[in-house]
Amino acid sequence: MSKKNWTIAATVGAVVFSLSAAAVSAAQHTHAAEQTAAVAGHGAKPTVVLIHGAFADASSWDGEVAQLQAGGYQVIAPAVPLRGLASDAAYVTSVVRSIKGLVVLVGHSYGGAVATEVAANDPKQIKGIVYAAGFIPAKGENVLQLSNKFPGSLLGPATSYTVNVPGGTDLYIKPADFHAAFAADRTPAQAAVAAATQRPISQAAAGEPAAASVPAGIPLYEIVAGQDKMIPPRAERFMARRAGATIYTVKSAHDMPVSHPQIIVSVIERAAR
């Protein structure tokens, strides 16, 4: 697959799709034709599965869900357990297998690694994968290794803390550092709320090696967060180029699903087509 680098302005306008039916004399027939066209168009669209990453939850996709549903897409944003890469992927795979028809996977951050594993489990059902500041690991790599491959990440011992829990250790971002490291596009007050409600990831999951790389033949799209302080933009581009993904760049902090849903939706729609 050829590599393309496109820059998307944060003020990208919404793409509006319209379907016009041929004029008929009877109003009843016109209404029936429009209903039939709407149903047919809806059925042709893949289901979009939105996979959140660490320190976030499924509500981070609220903006994307609303826009995609308005565009006629079926959308599922499962709650990723964040306990282990293989077990998280197995959970999301079970969700995907419950869907009839093709699926577009969308992974943010650690959710990108999960999406890669899911695609390896069911490659024929996956129409495409969109990575929103997402990890695209090769077999044997883990997300901590990739986030430290290039300088620029603020995630480290000084900005994080751990909590021992039954069966392991959870990793959190310190509330004082959440705004700068994770959610710089939000106001400090909004970032403080996000810090208080963050979903921790187990240290085991962050260090677990990927079981597989992305299967060949699946179209890939990486939206690089140009101001990311969690995964350095160089790391995102490195993984995308290595995987043969089409690359977009947006002026965004790491928390892209919240700050730039319209841009993510525009790339999802490209993948769906």
Side-chain angles (χ1 to χ4, degrees):
M1 179 184 298
S2 63
K3 307 177 184 68
K4 304 176 184 177
N5 290 271
W6 297 349
T7 300
I8 308 176
T11 55
V12 168
V15 181
V16 180
F17 294 97
S18 62
L19 179 64
S20 58
V24 294
S25 57
Q28 184 178 5
H29 290 171
T30 301
H31 180 66
E34 289 173 344
Q35 284 187 319
T36 301
V39 171
H42 178 75
K45 293 182 177 181
T47 298
V48 179
V49 177
L50 303 166
I51 308 169
H52 69 81
F55 317 114
D57 60 25
S59 68
S60 61
W61 296 112
D62 283 356
E64 286 83 357
V65 171
Q67 292 185 39
L68 289 165
Q69 288 179 337
Y73 289 90
Q74 292 285 346
V75 186
I76 300 176
V80 182
L82 303 177
R83 300 295 86 193
L85 182 56
S87 61
D88 291 342
Y91 174 79
V92 178
T93 297
S94 69
V95 173
V96 170
R97 287 175 176 168
S98 73
I99 298 167
K100 293 182 179 179
L102 295 176
V103 169
V104 172
L105 298 175
V106 186
H108 172 235
S109 191
Y110 169 80
V114 175
T116 301
E117 298 276 292
V118 173
N121 291 338
D122 281 306
K124 292 182 180 179
Q125 194 175 0
I126 309 305
K127 184 174 177 65
I129 309 175
V130 176
Y131 296 89
F135 287 103
I136 315 177
K139 182 179 180 180
E141 293 178 334
N142 65 64
V143 298
L144 286 179
Q145 172 188 355
L146 289 166
S147 65
N148 292 316
K149 188 174 183 65
F150 298 97
S153 175
L154 292 182
L155 182 63
T159 59
S160 62
Y161 67 97
T162 58
V163 175
N164 292 326
V165 297
T169 303
D170 277 356
L171 180 66
Y172 289 83
I173 301 174
K174 292 180 179 178
D177 297 295
F178 198 91
H179 184 233
F182 193 90
D185 290 339
R186 303 200 215 183
T187 67
Q190 291 170 335
V193 172
T197 59
Q198 66 179 291
R199 285 273 311 281
I201 186 171
S202 73
Q203 284 191 320
E208 184 176 341
S213 303
V214 180
I218 297 177
L220 310 177
Y221 308 82
E222 172 77 56
I223 311 173
V224 174
Q227 297 178 328
D228 203 327
K229 299 299 182 182
M230 291 289 289
I231 309 172
R234 284 182 63 191
E236 293 172 19
R237 292 190 184 96
F238 163 79
M239 291 182 283
R241 289 170 180 152
R242 180 180 64 180
T246 297
I247 301 173
Y248 304 82
T249 300
V250 60
K251 186 178 179 181
S252 176
H254 184 68
D255 199 12
M256 188 191 302
V258 173
S259 57
H260 298 292
Q262 192 171 22
I263 290 174
I264 295 176
V265 168
S266 70
V267 179
I268 293 171
E269 289 175 333
R270 286 182 181 271
R273 291 194 296 270

